[in-house]
């Protein structure tokens, strides 16, 4: 049965690939993103099964406005995928105010704001999926802020799962490893990126030798989680990259 699936951070990367995958499978996707032109471009590529909505997940007011707009077309939604996130290396000492605020506000607060807005639009069978990170367990250097935001998201997932179980709404954490989009640069400050690589190498983590998966490959995991039988639940799913052989 076709589902209404809301995806944050859908203008590029994993969010874009998820939207394309679900729409191709016959679902209707709602693309949320801070940059209207990006989500509108993705929606235009997908066609009639896509709706683009401008939304800054770090802003509670923006999230409320976005979900009010969604409700005008889809009073009920089936799935929310909290994918929006920012990722940039920095020590805490070197982090700017904006870096600290954006990392926590987008990666953690944004998922909470969106979940809060989505819950009243869901019924039994609804599903909230939060996208986590392997960095919670892997001791990468210069990722303290990112790791904290994702660790907080994991605890939020566990607690929200207990809260929503009586409502028949499932909550899943998909902890993902390194992924890439061909031809897309990280946008990192070159000096910060160099310090990041050097610090991890000195700690025994060779970033260049770590496998990286393709976004399109990972979408199959989300498809399986969304389609799991009603009497089955996956609380946490670990997805890691591997060297294809």
């Amino acid at each position: 049965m076709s589902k209404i699936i809301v995806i944050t951070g859908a203008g590029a990367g994993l969010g874009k690939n998820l939207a394309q995958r679900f729409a191709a499978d016959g679902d209707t996707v709602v693309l949320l993103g801070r940059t209207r032109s990006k989500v509108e471009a993705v929606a235009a590529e997908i066609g009639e099964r896509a709706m683009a909505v401008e939304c800054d997940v770090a802003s509670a007011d923006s999230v409320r406005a976005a979900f009010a707009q969604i409700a005008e077309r889809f009073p009920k939604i089936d799935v929310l995928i909290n994918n929006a996130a920012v990722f940039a290396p920095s020590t805490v000492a070197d982090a700017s105010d904006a870096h600290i605020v954006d990392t926590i506000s987008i990666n953690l607060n944004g998922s909470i704001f969106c979940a809060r807005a989505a819950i009243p639009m869901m019924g039994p069978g609804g599903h909230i999926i939060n996208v986590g990170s392997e960095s919670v367990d892997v001791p990468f250097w210069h990722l303290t802020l990112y790791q904290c935001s994702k660790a907080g998201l994991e605890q939020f997932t566990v607690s929200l799962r207990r809260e929503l179980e009586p409502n028949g709404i499932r909550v899943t954490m998909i902890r993902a490893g390194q992924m890439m989009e061909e031809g897309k640069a990280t946008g990192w400050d070159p000096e910060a990126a160099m310090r990041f690589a050097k610090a991890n190498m000195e700690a025994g983590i060779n970033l260049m030798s770590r496998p990286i998966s393709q976004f399109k490959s990972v979408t199959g995991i989300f498809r399986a989680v969304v389609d799991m039988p009603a009497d089955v639940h996956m609380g946490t799913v670990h997805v890691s990259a591997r060297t294809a052989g």
Side-chain angles (χ1 to χ4, degrees):
M1 181 180 295
S2 177
K3 298 179 184 295
I4 307 298
I5 302 176
V6 179
I7 305 169
T8 70
L14 177 61
K16 175 182 177 179
N17 280 264
L18 286 171
Q20 293 171 330
R21 168 64 186 267
F22 284 121
D25 290 345
D27 296 306
T28 297
V29 291
V30 181
L31 287 61
L32 301 189
R34 282 190 296 181
T35 306
R36 180 190 295 273
S37 60
K38 286 186 178 181
V39 288
E40 287 182 342
V42 176
E45 291 176 11
I46 293 173
E48 62 182 11
R49 291 190 178 277
M51 173 186 181
V53 179
E54 182 179 355
C55 179
D56 177 2
V57 299
S59 164
D61 288 338
S62 180
V63 170
R64 271 189 286 268
F67 276 82
Q69 184 177 341
I70 295 169
E72 291 177 359
R73 182 170 172 185
F74 305 112
K76 181 180 181 297
I77 62 175
D78 299 295
V79 180
L80 166 66
I81 301 178
N82 280 315
N83 164 72
V86 291
F87 174 87
S90 173
T91 62
V92 173
D94 290 336
S96 66
D97 293 351
H99 185 174
I100 295 170
V101 171
D102 285 351
T103 300
I104 304 302
S105 296
I106 295 172
N107 297 5
L108 179 55
N109 296 356
S111 295
I112 297 173
F113 290 150
C114 288
R116 182 180 64 178
I119 290 167
M121 300 172 65
M122 290 182 165
H127 203 155
I128 296 173
I129 300 174
N130 296 324
V131 180
S133 169
E134 68 175 1
S135 68
V136 172
D137 274 348
V138 180
F140 293 113
W141 284 61
H142 292 199
L143 286 184
T144 299
L145 298 171
Y146 182 78
Q147 290 164 325
C148 288
S149 70
K150 289 299 186 178
L153 183 60
E154 291 203 0
Q155 183 56 57
F156 172 66
T157 303
V158 171
S159 299
L160 187 65
R161 184 183 307 140
R162 291 195 298 265
E163 184 177 315
L164 296 182
E165 178 64 26
N167 302 69
I169 298 173
R170 292 185 283 200
V171 186
T172 297
M173 165 63 65
I174 297 184
R175 184 190 282 186
Q178 293 188 97
M179 293 174 280
M180 69 174 292
E181 184 171 27
E182 188 174 353
K184 183 180 179 182
T186 64
W188 292 349
D189 173 75
E191 290 188 7
M194 186 176 299
R195 290 194 296 269
F196 174 59
K198 181 180 179 181
N200 280 283
M201 180 68 76
E202 291 174 350
I205 303 174
N206 185 346
L207 300 177
M208 298 300 294
S209 67
R210 290 178 60 83
I212 302 176
S213 60
Q214 300 291 321
F215 287 126
K216 287 184 179 180
S217 302
V218 177
T219 62
I221 305 299
F222 287 79
R223 178 80 268 174
V225 170
V226 167
D227 291 343
M228 74 176 94
D231 61 341
V232 174
H233 180 64
M234 286 186 274
T236 301
V237 178
H238 297 255
V239 183
S240 58
R242 66 182 294 268
T243 302

